[in-house]
Amino acid sequence: MGWMPTSGDFTILEALKEGLLKNVYKIQAPDGTELALKEIRFGGTGTEDYGDSMNIEEALYELNTIKKIATSPTEKPYFPKHVAAMAYLHPAYDPYTGECVEQGEVINLARASSEIEDGRGVSFFIVEEFVQGRFAEPADIERAKAMREEGMRRSPRIWLTADTDENDVMVCPDGALKFVDVGNFNALSRDEMRMLDDFMAQEQGATR
């Protein structure tokens, strides 16, 4: 898989977005390349206390969306270049002694759900191109919304959860727009929610 973020040989340059369960950082890889690192955390981190947090099915859907973008010649120019994605199983500690009883490890994405159900903490790491530019302004957002509508006609599976929020659309130096978040599940219309359910059902069925 090449270089992965758990190797510990990267440098965090800046926190771009920090939340209870989802963080985004600007990092520097070992070769000096500046990248964006997104971490989504589940299980063993208090996620059960936040009913409106992203669930495991949504996280896997977002990862699948990123993979589909990477293989779509028509759609990938509108999104950051994908570098790597992985799941990392957190170390397990004895609740009485605090000693580590199982080391952390990179795991198969399909295994992540069962580990979370067993109470182990899991993080998804997504490494992408760091997009140079500025955050979108109101006029840019209107253009982004129109671009999403056009994208939905071409490839609804890719564009359905593309976020058009001002913090998730970047304006590049040449004026092009880049959609840096494809994990927006909270602003979908009723018809789009039905479409999301259909996509999820199809993909879950394909992995069984």
Side-chain angles (χ1 to χ4, degrees), residues 1 4 6 56 85-90 103-116 120-124:
M1 292 185 293
M4 297 303 290
T6 54
I56 184 67
M86 55 164 284
Y88 178 71
L89 180 63
H90 296 183
Q103 296 296 322
E105 61 176 312
V106 175
I107 61 172
N108 186 290
L109 293 175
R111 181 181 159 192
S113 295
S114 61
E115 293 291 354
I116 292 169
R120 290 290 295 275
V122 172
S123 287
F124 289 109

Side-chain angles (χ1 to χ4, degrees), residues 107-160:
I107 61 172
N108 186 290
L109 293 175
R111 181 181 159 192
S113 295
S114 61
E115 293 291 354
I116 292 169
E117 290 172 1
D118 289 340
R120 290 290 295 275
V122 172
S123 287
F124 289 109
F125 287 104
I126 302 168
V127 185
E128 296 177 331
E129 162 197 12
F130 176 74
V131 179
Q132 301 286 347
R134 62 172 175 81
F135 287 118
E137 298 176 353
D140 305 311
I141 295 300
E142 292 304 310
R143 184 156 62 106
K145 290 179 179 178
M147 289 172 64
R148 179 182 178 272
E149 289 181 8
E150 293 175 6
M152 284 289 290
R153 288 191 285 270
R154 291 192 307 270
S155 182
R157 174 58 186 82
I158 284 176
W159 284 91
L160 180 61

Side-chain angles (χ1 to χ4, degrees), residues 29-145:
D31 65 357
T33 304
E34 292 184 352
L35 299 166
L37 171 65
K38 180 185 293 182
E39 180 191 13
I40 307 172
R41 299 187 304 279
F42 290 95
T45 57
T47 55
E48 64 277 1
D49 296 331
Y50 304 98
D52 59 349
S53 65
M54 175 182 278
N55 61 45
I56 184 67
E57 289 79 14
E58 291 172 346
L60 290 171
Y61 185 92
E62 180 175 348
L63 285 168
N64 286 332
T65 302
I66 291 168
K67 292 177 181 178
K68 291 179 183 298
I69 291 168
T71 59
S72 173
T74 59
E75 309 310 320
K76 64 182 178 181
Y78 303 103
F79 301 90
K81 182 180 178 182
H82 175 61
V83 176
M86 55 164 284
Y88 178 71
L89 180 63
H90 296 183
Y93 296 91
D94 186 296
Y96 300 103
T97 66
E99 294 183 0
C100 181
V101 294
E102 288 188 58
Q103 296 296 322
E105 61 176 312
V106 175
I107 61 172
N108 186 290
L109 293 175
R111 181 181 159 192
S113 295
S114 61
E115 293 291 354
I116 292 169
E117 290 172 1
D118 289 340
R120 290 290 295 275
V122 172
S123 287
F124 289 109
F125 287 104
I126 302 168
V127 185
E128 296 177 331
E129 162 197 12
F130 176 74
V131 179
Q132 301 286 347
R134 62 172 175 81
F135 287 118
E137 298 176 353
D140 305 311
I141 295 300
E142 292 304 310
R143 184 156 62 106
K145 290 179 179 178

